[in-house]
Amino acid sequence: MAVSHDLRTFKNAAWLGWQMEANWTDPFVFATYSIVKPLAGSLILVFMYIVITGGETQTPFFSYMFIGNAFYMFVAEVLFGVTWVIHDDREHYMTLKQVYIAPIKFYTYVFGRAAIKIAITTVGVLITLAFGVIWLGVEIDLGAVDWLVFIPALLIGLLTILIMGLALGGVTFLTAKHGMGINEGIAGVFYVLSGVIFPITVLPGWAQTISHLLPVTYWMEALRRGLSPDLMASLPGSTGLSDFSNLEILLTLALSTVAFLFISTAIFRYADRTARRKGKIDWTTSY
Amino acid sequence: MTDTWLVTNLRAIRGRAYPRVIGSKRELSWLFFDITLPLLTVSAYAYIYKYIQAPDEFVGFVILGGAMTAFWLNILWMMASQLYWEKEIGNLQLYLIAPISRMSILAGMAVGGLFMTAIRASATMVIGVLLFGIVLSFAQPVMLILIFVVTMISLYGMGMMFASLYLLLGREAYHLSNLLTEPVYLASGLYFPVKALGFWAAAGASIIPITLGLDALRQLFYPGSGAEYGFLSVNTELAILAVLCVAFLWLSKYSLDYMEKLGKTTGRLTLRWQ
Amino acid sequence: MQSAVEVKGLTRVFEPKKKKEGKSVTALNKVDLRIARGELFGLLGPNGAGKTTLLKILSTLLLPTAGKAFVAGFDVEKDFTEVRKRINMVSGGEISGYGLLTVKENLWMFTQFYGMKSSVAKQRIDEMLAQFGLADKKDEKVRTLSTGQRQKMNVIRGFVTDPEIIFLDEPTLGLDVNASRVIREFIVDWVQAKDNRTVLLTTHYMMEADQLCDRIAIIDDGRILACDTPENLKKLVKMNRTLKLDVTSLKDTSKFGSLTGVEQFTFQDDAEKDQTHLKFILTDDSAVTEIISEVQSKGARILSLQKTEPTLEDVFIKMVGKGFE
């Protein structure tokens, strides 16, 4: 009973998420919108690279950067999506309190809303990668993909992000309007410290220590090793995780996901309780 | 136009700016989220330039771009979409029945937003300078101030124009803001010299005031970089920005009047959930 | 004296956003109305009658489809700037303002949109907060206020700019007895304090309209069905006014039926209690004095007296054909 109830909540939240994401316009405009945004994000890096190298994109590092940036979209969009759900429902539509007091698990609702975000982002990631391979010579050969590494890495990583999104959702309960900076900021932490667009070895020593504690670092490494094994072999210098075998990378990712599950649940529960204690569930802080 | 009219509207500007200024003082969580964290994205781009051994000024270019990002985000999320949310809260109808120019309400939001964002942008600059040890030139302070002021007036003029357009778009506003984030970062060359886009693309992107404003500031902060990385000469960029300034202020007034007339005719101006 | 509000043939039709989405709705249909300076005028009508549409047009938020509306002598369509200098508006259930500001700051902010000098505004806000019993809340954030306190703050927001004409849209909606009473008393005192102050009030509460308003217009389906003083409106209802009296045993009742203003008379003796029950249907209230005199002249004593009259609700039901939903 409880499971089917949760599934229904999840389904309804996903439906609501889809309505809010896509129902505002016709399918053509929505498709364009879904493509333009991620491509523009990637092209920023492309131009940064081209300005310095004079147009040479068929290098291992360019592919390393491009692939990392494409998958990072999941991190940015899901973390943004989950916190936005809380913020938007509370401050704008003022429906958070109704959802909150409904006899459903609130995090099932949040997961449902985030799931649709993942689905939409997947399209953006695929288009970006296709664009990179076709026009910019990004090194991905479908025949050479190590699926046994790539698929588990992708799934565990997405779960990790959802779990972290939950913690951020909890924090959003407690922050004011400008709390939207949380998305930007936490996602930024991963962008700098997780080897998304450059190897962590370029960071100062203390920052590399933090990098080794973040699941996204292992996620990015595992995704690249799965998707383009040759690229990783030809990249000059160490990525900072070169000593790890594929299995070790996946295991570390799984273990850090479990650790984050406990941490995130604790943060969400604490924030939830504090928000109720301080009466922040139905406040608005607009100014 | 009388003094009384002017004084009334100046008071209105002060009144609307007040919640923004006091809000930033009252909810200090923004200091952490809006200053420290966005710096991370800037750092990421700075590290890429370091990794691919770009010339030193590129790290400075990125930090200047990061500071400008703050203004653009403020335009999108706290200027353009603001009238729509004011309508949802119920404030819009109270603004509309007040005996003041609607431009004063928008100007108040702009002044308040500019104040908050200037702090955020300055912090990004200062921390960036300290963290990455970049050296900026202040050889032409008057020109620096002039470029910054003209850029801000035209940028917030554009934001004021967006506010009316967003009101007509209703719920689609959120998506438009989302769409105008990364593509504008790209088109305006926030993280690389806009010249790299090629002349015509850069010329097209110049309609967004931060494009030329940022390009000019980079040339001024890094004298000598203009020849290789600057899009147009600083003087030309200043002249174009001055034109944009007048154009956007006029367009914002025009679109605001149009929005109000349309709203009053259709009856949707003060209805929620549109 | 110039009218506070004058409306001639005012019509407002709402068209659907897209033709497919439904039919157009006529919210106001050739409305004529004149409200004099100094009046406390009420608009009574069911949901969707057109009350708020009329208020929106008068407060320059909405344009009429046809007809003319003047506020303080100015055309709301053309001279809206002049109108805005002279009006303000308060709605029930309003959530305007910014949650992050204190009560006093929010009120001050709104005064700035009327160009009030800061020191004058602050002094007047302090006085009004004290008057509404909110002085101790002035430095509290708005989001901490109760519904009643919040509405009192909204009322202060509307009146603090000292408008000539104020539009009140259900100002006591959802408030408790005490908060409603404070607001009603304030409205009456305010309009009486100066000659040229005018209030246009919409309400669902019949008692409120009856107690407060000098004149009332009953509106339904976009049309004004009646407009007069509450007393005169009640006279429109051909409803019997009855007078019931219980008196000590009365032997001679022959004269009661022929008294002026008595349309019908019946009585019943209650031997067990040694009482007589008298029932009159009256055409004129003046008959009551004569009936009492007649009872006394026969040496009987009045034990109880009950008089029933038509209420505004009866008028409303007669006019609109239904009560409030």
Side-chain angles (χ1 to χ4, degrees):
Chain A
M1 269 305 280
V3 175
S4 73
H5 189 67
D6 283 350
L7 277 176
R8 203 176 316 128
T9 305
F10 181 84
K11 200 180 83 185
N12 288 339
W15 173 83
L16 182 64
W18 172 251
Q19 291 298 318
M20 293 178 87
E21 293 283 344
N23 199 28
W24 52 278
T25 185
D26 62 66
F28 176 74
V29 175
F30 181 68
T32 314
Y33 165 83
S34 308
I35 294 166
V36 167
K37 201 175 143 63
L39 275 187
S42 298
L43 282 173
I44 292 174
L45 284 177
V46 173
F47 276 98
M48 284 173 64
Y49 194 81
I50 286 175
V51 167
I52 304 303
T53 62
E56 180 56 58
T57 59
Q58 290 179 343
T59 64
F61 176 69
F62 182 80
S63 296
Y64 174 98
M65 180 180 81
F66 195 90
I67 293 172
N69 195 57
F71 281 100
Y72 174 77
M73 270 186 238
F74 281 118
V75 183
E77 287 296 312
V78 174
L79 294 189
F80 184 87
V82 172
T83 42
W84 182 259
V85 167
I86 309 262
H87 178 76
D88 205 27
D89 282 3
R90 179 178 66 185
E91 305 250 350
H92 298 152
Y93 299 115
M94 293 165 194
T95 52
L96 185 70
K97 56 186 172 192
Q98 281 91 341
V99 175
Y100 188 82
I101 63 164
I104 55 171
K105 287 196 184 80
F106 190 72
Y107 42 80
T108 314
Y109 171 77
V110 176
F111 278 158
R113 293 284 295 270
I116 203 70
K117 201 87 192 169
I118 290 184
I120 293 168
T121 309
T122 304
V123 178
V125 173
L126 287 174
I127 290 169
T128 307
L129 288 174
F131 175 80
V133 171
I134 296 166
W135 276 286
L136 301 168
V138 170
E139 252 184 87
I140 298 174
D141 176 2
L142 285 180
V145 172
D146 188 344
W147 298 103
L148 286 175
V149 175
F150 180 69
I151 299 290
L154 183 67
L155 296 177
I156 300 172
L158 288 177
L159 184 66
T160 315
I161 297 163
L162 270 180
I163 289 167
M164 288 188 296
L166 188 68
L168 284 186
V171 175
T172 315
F173 273 145
L174 307 175
T175 53
K177 182 175 187 172
H178 34 249
M180 287 315 291
I182 300 175
N183 323 302
E184 212 182 322
I186 300 291
V189 170
F190 294 123
Y191 204 51
V192 182
L193 297 178
S194 293
V196 177
I197 49 174
F198 54 84
I200 55 172
T201 45
V202 78
L203 294 167
W206 59 267
Q208 288 187 45
T209 310
I210 303 172
S211 302
H212 281 101
L213 296 173
L214 302 174
V216 180
T217 311
Y218 301 96
W219 193 43
M220 287 291 150
E221 180 82 7
L223 285 172
R224 286 195 193 97
R225 286 192 191 186
L227 202 59
S228 191
D230 297 343
L231 160 74
M232 295 305 276
S234 58
L235 194 73
S238 171
T239 60
L241 296 175
S242 306
D243 296 343
F244 287 66
S245 70
N246 287 353
L247 187 64
E248 282 169 339
I249 289 278
L250 284 176
L251 276 176
T252 317
L253 175 61
L255 280 175
S256 59
T257 303
V258 173
F260 263 84
L261 178 66
F262 286 111
I263 296 168
S264 287
T265 314
I267 292 175
F268 184 83
R269 286 196 178 151
Y270 170 78
D272 178 13
R273 215 179 149 66
T274 311
R276 275 173 69 191
R277 189 161 46 81
K278 294 188 173 177
K280 291 187 171 185
I281 299 291
D282 61 344
W283 77 344
T284 53
T285 54
S286 58
Y287 58 91
Chain B
M1 200 188 293
T2 64
D3 272 347
T4 318
W5 182 90
L6 184 67
V7 170
T8 301
N9 281 280
L10 284 174
R11 284 181 180 148
I13 292 173
R14 182 178 61 175
R16 186 58 192 89
Y18 182 79
R20 294 235 155 145
V21 175
I22 207 75
S24 59
K25 198 175 108 189
R26 217 155 263 172
E27 297 276 350
L28 288 173
S29 54
W30 72 281
L31 275 175
F32 177 69
F33 293 122
D34 285 5
I35 292 179
T36 318
L37 298 179
L39 204 67
L40 292 165
T41 314
V42 171
S43 305
Y45 288 148
Y47 276 119
I48 286 198
Y49 278 131
K50 274 181 176 286
Y51 188 77
I52 55 177
Q53 292 163 344
D56 284 347
E57 58 258 48
F58 274 78
V59 173
F61 286 178
V62 163
I63 288 165
L64 282 169
M68 279 294 180
T69 314
F71 291 105
W72 182 246
L73 287 174
N74 187 252
I75 291 294
L76 289 182
W77 296 105
M78 291 189 81
M79 279 296 299
S81 48
Q82 191 67 29
L83 279 187
Y84 172 67
W85 292 121
E86 297 281 8
K87 182 178 83 164
E88 297 296 304
I89 296 167
N91 286 339
L92 184 64
Q93 62 174 359
L94 299 176
Y95 293 156
L96 291 176
I97 64 163
I100 42 165
S101 161
R102 281 85 191 81
M103 289 291 279
S104 302
I105 297 291
L106 287 175
M109 281 180 205
V111 169
L114 188 58
F115 169 81
M116 270 177 78
T117 314
I119 296 176
R120 175 179 161 171
S122 312
T124 306
M125 286 281 292
V126 170
I127 299 172
V129 166
L130 294 176
L131 208 61
F132 291 96
I134 60 168
V135 182
L136 302 172
S137 162
F138 290 89
Q140 287 180 270
V142 177
M143 199 60 167
L144 271 174
I145 293 169
L146 203 58
I147 291 280
F148 181 76
V149 169
V150 177
T151 305
M152 286 303 127
I153 295 175
S154 46
L155 185 62
Y156 277 84
M158 187 186 210
M160 286 155 79
M161 180 185 78
F162 278 170
S164 308
L165 300 179
Y166 271 46
L167 193 57
L168 296 176
L169 287 171
R171 289 183 169 213
E172 295 175 17
Y174 159 72
H175 299 282
L176 190 63
S177 274
N178 235 340
L179 187 61
L180 288 175
T181 309
E182 284 86 353
V184 168
Y185 290 178
L186 171 69
S188 292
L190 283 174
Y191 298 109
F192 57 85
V194 73
K195 194 181 182 181
L197 291 174
F199 180 82
W200 290 109
S206 298
I207 192 83
I208 306 160
I210 39 174
T211 308
L212 293 181
L214 180 59
D215 196 68
L217 288 176
R218 280 173 177 157
Q219 293 187 50
L220 291 168
F221 276 125
Y222 287 97
S225 71
E228 197 174 352
Y229 304 116
F231 173 46
L232 303 168
S233 75
V234 173
N235 287 338
T236 313
E237 289 179 337
L238 179 63
I240 298 173
L241 282 168
V243 173
L244 287 179
C245 207
V246 177
F248 279 126
L249 285 176
W250 181 82
L251 278 171
S252 63
K253 171 87 173 75
Y254 176 81
S255 50
L256 195 55
D257 290 346
Y258 174 77
M259 177 277 296
E260 190 180 353
K261 194 164 166 46
L262 190 73
K264 279 166 81 173
T265 312
T266 60
R268 294 197 180 93
L269 201 58
T270 53
L271 284 182
R272 299 177 76 196
W273 317 123
Q274 287 291 318
Chain C
M1 195 179 181
Q2 176 202 58
S3 305
V5 172
E6 194 160 5
V7 166
K8 293 173 190 164
L10 199 68
T11 300
R12 173 67 216 201
V13 180
F14 289 100
E15 300 292 348
K17 218 172 179 178
K18 290 175 190 160
K19 287 262 159 131
K20 287 182 222 159
E21 284 177 359
K23 290 184 287 184
S24 57
V25 176
T26 305
L28 291 176
N29 194 351
K30 295 175 187 160
V31 169
D32 293 317
L33 190 67
R34 188 181 167 278
I35 302 170
R37 293 265 183 183
E39 260 194 303
L40 206 166
F41 191 91
L43 262 183
L44 261 182
N47 293 328
K51 305 185 296 286
T52 303
T53 302
L54 179 58
L55 247 55
K56 279 189 177 177
I57 291 176
L58 295 177
S59 58
T60 76
L61 287 171
L62 188 66
L63 291 174
T65 310
K68 283 279 172 198
F70 298 89
V71 172
F74 295 100
D75 186 337
V76 293
E77 207 169 334
K78 290 178 190 148
D79 306 322
F80 50 85
T81 314
E82 292 302 318
V83 173
R84 286 170 185 160
K85 287 179 189 166
R86 292 163 174 84
I87 61 164
N88 213 322
M89 180 169 71
V90 177
S91 305
E94 213 177 282
I95 49 158
S96 58
Y98 298 98
L100 212 77
L101 298 186
T102 65
V103 171
K104 193 171 174 180
E105 284 170 340
N106 250 307
L107 291 169
W108 170 82
M109 183 189 75
F110 281 107
T111 63
Q112 295 310 289
F113 302 145
Y114 289 77
M116 282 177 79
K117 203 176 165 193
S118 239
S119 55
V120 175
K122 283 177 181 167
Q123 191 191 344
R124 204 181 292 171
I125 290 165
D126 280 338
E127 287 166 9
M128 290 186 77
L129 283 171
Q131 201 173 348
F132 277 87
L134 284 180
D136 57 334
K137 293 281 175 189
K138 71 176 181 182
D139 295 323
E140 301 277 325
K141 302 248 172 72
V142 172
R143 61 177 178 237
T144 65
L145 297 185
S146 71
T147 309
Q149 288 166 339
R150 181 138 198 168
Q151 187 57 6
K152 284 179 185 172
M153 186 191 89
N154 288 330
V155 171
I156 296 174
R157 180 195 53 66
F159 285 91
V160 74
T161 57
D162 198 22
E164 288 174 29
I165 299 156
I166 191 154
F167 301 110
L168 305 174
D169 194 6
E170 315 260 3
T172 58
L173 189 72
L175 300 188
D176 65 32
V177 181
N178 197 30
S180 304
R181 188 179 50 79
V182 171
I183 291 173
R184 282 177 197 145
E185 284 175 3
F186 176 82
I187 294 169
V188 173
D189 291 346
W190 182 82
V191 81
Q192 287 172 351
K194 278 187 192 171
D195 283 347
N196 70 336
R197 286 174 169 175
T198 309
V199 175
L200 174 51
L201 166 98
T202 76
T203 181
H204 260 115
Y205 304 122
M206 304 281 182
M207 287 281 284
E208 185 169 277
D210 202 354
Q211 280 172 12
L212 296 185
C213 299
D214 301 319
R215 282 196 307 147
I216 293 167
I218 293 177
I219 181 169
D220 186 39
D221 211 12
R223 292 169 192 273
I224 303 258
L225 303 178
C227 178
D228 213 327
T229 62
E231 273 314 302
N232 286 344
L233 283 174
K234 286 178 210 166
K235 284 181 188 163
L236 291 173
V237 184
K238 293 254 187 301
M239 187 180 178
N240 294 328
R241 295 149 199 244
T242 62
L243 178 70
K244 288 179 186 173
L245 286 172
D246 293 335
V247 299
T248 50
S249 186
L250 194 63
K251 302 294 173 219
D252 180 9
T253 57
S254 58
K255 277 196 177 170
F256 285 113
S258 56
L259 291 173
T260 318
V262 174
E263 187 177 297
Q264 200 184 334
F265 166 66
T266 53
F267 74 97
Q268 195 184 351
D269 283 322
D270 184 345
E272 204 175 299
K273 288 187 181 169
D274 199 22
Q275 288 180 6
T276 305
H277 305 298
L278 311 174
K279 189 179 177 190
F280 301 86
I281 292 177
L282 309 175
T283 54
D284 191 341
D285 282 351
S286 61
V288 177
T289 325
E290 289 195 46
I291 292 165
I292 291 170
S293 304
E294 177 64 16
V295 170
Q296 286 169 340
S297 71
K298 295 289 184 258
R301 199 155 45 84
I302 296 171
L303 300 170
S304 75
L305 181 149
Q306 191 190 356
K307 186 167 176 274
T308 59
E309 278 189 6
T311 62
L312 213 48
E313 194 157 356
D314 298 316
V315 181
F316 188 84
I317 290 169
K318 177 187 155 72
M319 293 285 170
V320 177
K322 61 187 181 217
F324 283 134
E325 294 109 45

